[in-house]
């Protein structure tokens, strides 16, 4: 879908890679501010932590890292809870999230507030509670972020 005028172009798209964006292009210099999402259906590994394949893009301003449990999460000692964060801060988006089927989390940054800038590509990390390990589970994770393209001239 696209709507174009002499000064502005609005673009909304969806691709097979599960990337969606809404971009506003202004002026003749093609500068872009894009509000985007990137989604992965993540199967938890058998360790204490499991990192997503998708990453917060380098240079992005992350708004949320939302999640939904699509196959119940189980852990070795049956607490079936987990933290959601990054390698740097394990609880950045949630602490002791339930592994029950259809549990959701909006994934607001609990370690500093709204919209965090990421200089480098960063995976989302799921961390089993305490000294436990994951035994099963699938989680859909969606990154909600802002990304810019600089002027071309």
């Amino acid at each position: 879908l696209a709507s174009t005028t002499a000064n502005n172009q609005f673009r909304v798209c969806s691709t097979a890679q599960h990337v969606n964006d809404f971009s506003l292009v202004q002026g003749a210099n093609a500068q872009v501010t894009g509000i985007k999402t990137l989604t992965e259906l993540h199967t938890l590994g058998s360790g204490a932590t499991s990192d997503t394949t998708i990453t917060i893009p380098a240079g992005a301003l992350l708004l949320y890292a939302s999640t939904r449990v699509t196959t119940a999460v189980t852990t070795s000692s049956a607490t079936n809870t987990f933290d959601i964060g990054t390698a740097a801060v394990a609880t950045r988006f949630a602490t002791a999230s339930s592994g029950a089927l259809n549990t959701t989390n909006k994934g607001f940054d609990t370690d500093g507030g709204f919209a965090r800038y990421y200089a480098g590509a960063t995976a989302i990390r799921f961390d089993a509670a305490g000294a436990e390990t994951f035994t099963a589970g699938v989680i859909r994770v969606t990154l909600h972020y802002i990304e810019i393209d600089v002027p071309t001239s």
Side-chain angles (χ1 to χ4, degrees), residues 17-19 37-44 50-56 66-68 70 123-124 126 138-143:
Q17 291 86 16
H18 305 287
V19 176
T37 61
L38 182 60
T39 298
E40 175 184 331
L41 189 60
H42 181 74
T43 301
L44 295 168
S50 185
D51 291 351
T52 59
T53 301
I54 60 169
T55 58
I56 303 162
S66 64
T67 58
R68 173 180 293 274
T70 61
I124 300 301
F126 299 100
V138 179
I139 300 171
R140 180 172 309 285
V141 58
T142 300
L143 307 175

